[in-house]
């Protein structure tokens, strides 16, 4: 058991954010750019180094009009129940219920992060982006656009973020890490994206830092960063299977937006994940 923390912070400037941490036996962590994680045997890894995206199909059943990889399967295949990220052998469900969401979300893209030592790549985690499929109907302006055009159009990703429909990023660790290191990496990526943080923003980040400290997160831990709307961020974590409840709730538009931008903004720290999502969008928007 990782332990529990119960904290309540309410501040009222600007965005009137409030943070409520819900005590559970599991805890939360997230990631950032150009930060170092200690690994077993004395190694370190940079969380967000660029790396290619690959995925394969694992098991099949029919789920019409939801996932882009159905269109890339052979004519004899049906939609995949799981997508396997082959570099890490991590499997992502093609659709799932995420804590705090009212509808099932669909998988739109996957990727992985690694650090290369000489000629050896050390992988840190795999990640997959899930969306409420109703978001697709709000992206008709981009119908028929290529993957490259979609990937380079920041307004599309801003439109996705600004919808009131749910978005969620699942991170699955492929290495043991500690909560402090994960938080430091996340903070390093978010901070430059908030040009003039308010007292509320700083309080929100401080509270999350306190929540993450002294956590030990094992290989296989699943972390969901979920945006139910543009001003709210939900965090759920489980070391065994999918989480069943929300571990932390934050209401701060600046921080929620900055975290989404970390992965899908113009200067994404995970270009392979963004490229995969762009490919997925180009196929569902045909």
């Amino acid at each position: 058991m990782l332990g529990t923390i119960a904290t309540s912070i309410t501040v009222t400037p600007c965005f009137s954010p409030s943070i409520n941490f819900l005590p559970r036996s599991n805890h939360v962590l997230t990631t950032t750019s150009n930060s170092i994680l200690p690994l077993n045997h004395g190694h370190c890894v940079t969380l967000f180094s660029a790396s290619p995206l690959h995925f394969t199909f694992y098991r099949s059943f029919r789920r019409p009009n939801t996932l882009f990889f159905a269109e890339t399967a052979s004519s004899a295949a049906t939609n995949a129940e799981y997508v396997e990220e082959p570099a890490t052998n991590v499997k992502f469900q093609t659709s799932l219920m995420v804590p705090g969401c009212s509808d099932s979300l669909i998988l739109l893209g996957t990727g992985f992060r690694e650090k290369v030592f000489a000629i050896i790549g050390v992988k840190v985690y795999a990640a997959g982006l899930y969306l409420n499929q109703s978001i697709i109907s709000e992206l008709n302006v981009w119908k028929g656009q290529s993957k490259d055009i979609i990937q380079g159009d920041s307004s599309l990703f801003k439109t996705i973020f600004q919808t009131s429909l749910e978005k969620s990023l699942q991170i699955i660790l492929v290495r043991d890490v500690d909560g402090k290191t994960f938080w430091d990496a996340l903070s390093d990526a978010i901070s430059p994206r908030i040009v003039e943080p308010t007292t509320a923003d700083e309080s929100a980040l401080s509270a999350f830092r306190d929540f993450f400290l002294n956590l030990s997160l094992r290989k296989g831990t699943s972390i969901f960063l979920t945006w139910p709307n543009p001003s709210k961020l939900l965090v759920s974590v489980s070391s065994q299977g999918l989480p069943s409840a929300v571990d932390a709730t934050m209401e701060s538009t600046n921080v929620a937006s900055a975290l989404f931008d970390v992965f899908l903004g113009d200067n994404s720290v995970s270009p392979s994940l963004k490229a995969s999502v762009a490919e997925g969008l180009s196929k569902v928007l045909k």
Side-chain angles (χ1 to χ4, degrees), residues 139-151:
L139 304 176
N140 289 333
V141 171
W142 290 275
K143 272 194 172 181
Q145 298 298 319
S146 69
K147 166 191 169 181
D148 290 340
I149 290 176
I150 288 174
Q151 185 174 350

Side-chain angles (χ1 to χ4, degrees), residues 21-277:
F21 292 109
L22 307 180
R24 288 185 64 217
S25 59
N26 294 326
H27 290 291
V28 187
L29 76 96
T30 40
T31 55
T32 79
S33 94
N34 300 324
S35 295
I36 304 300
L37 284 181
L39 298 182
N40 294 337
H41 312 302
H43 295 302
C44 291
V45 297
T46 301
L47 286 181
F48 291 98
S49 58
S51 54
L53 167 72
H54 306 279
F55 57 83
T56 56
F57 302 98
Y58 180 61
R59 194 153 55 91
S60 297
F61 74 100
R62 181 161 298 278
R63 190 189 307 278
N65 302 322
T66 56
L67 298 171
F68 70 88
F69 42 76
E71 301 181 20
T72 65
S74 68
S75 58
T78 54
N79 290 3
E81 183 179 357
Y82 291 91
V83 168
E84 182 178 87
E85 197 289 293
T88 57
N89 298 318
V90 171
K91 296 180 179 68
F92 289 88
Q93 292 186 30
T94 59
S95 67
L96 49 72
M97 285 296 301
V98 176
C101 294
S102 57
D103 295 305
S104 179
L105 307 185
I106 61 169
L107 179 67
L108 204 62
T110 64
F112 70 90
R113 303 267 53 79
E114 75 172 2
K115 171 65 178 179
V116 176
F117 296 97
I119 60 172
I120 301 174
V122 178
K123 295 166 181 65
V124 183
Y125 70 85
L129 181 71
Y130 290 84
L131 301 179
N132 183 312
Q133 71 180 73
S134 294
I135 290 176
I136 302 304
S137 65
E138 301 191 18
L139 304 176
N140 289 333
V141 171
W142 290 275
K143 272 194 172 181
Q145 298 298 319
S146 69
K147 166 191 169 181
D148 290 340
I149 290 176
I150 288 174
Q151 185 174 350
D153 193 338
S154 61
S155 62
L156 180 148
F157 292 96
K158 288 178 181 177
T159 298
I160 291 175
F161 173 73
Q162 289 167 358
T163 67
S164 59
L165 298 166
E166 300 100 339
K167 292 77 63 176
S168 188
L169 182 74
Q170 182 181 15
I171 295 171
I172 301 177
L173 301 181
V174 295
R175 286 287 185 275
D176 294 351
V177 298
D178 65 87
K180 181 182 184 302
T181 302
F182 233 60
W183 165 250
D184 288 345
L186 178 63
S187 179
D188 288 345
I190 291 177
S191 295
R193 289 171 163 82
I194 304 178
V195 179
E196 296 182 1
T198 66
T199 301
D201 299 330
E202 293 173 351
S203 296
L205 292 171
S206 176
F208 268 94
R209 179 199 64 208
D210 293 344
F211 186 69
F212 298 149
L213 290 180
N214 303 316
L215 299 183
S216 179
L217 297 140
R218 302 298 182 184
K219 175 181 177 181
T221 295
S222 186
I223 305 105
F224 283 86
L225 307 175
T226 302
W227 297 265
N229 61 57
S231 64
K232 181 179 288 188
L233 174 67
L234 310 178
V235 188
S236 304
V237 62
S238 175
S239 59
Q240 296 183 344
L242 297 174
S244 59
V246 174
D247 293 284
T249 299
M250 176 183 64
E251 297 190 54
S252 170
T253 300
N254 279 351
V255 177
S257 175
L259 184 58
F260 191 84
D261 190 74
V262 164
F263 294 96
L264 295 163
D266 289 339
N267 299 306
S268 171
V269 296
S270 182
S272 64
L273 177 63
K274 185 175 179 179
S276 176
V277 170

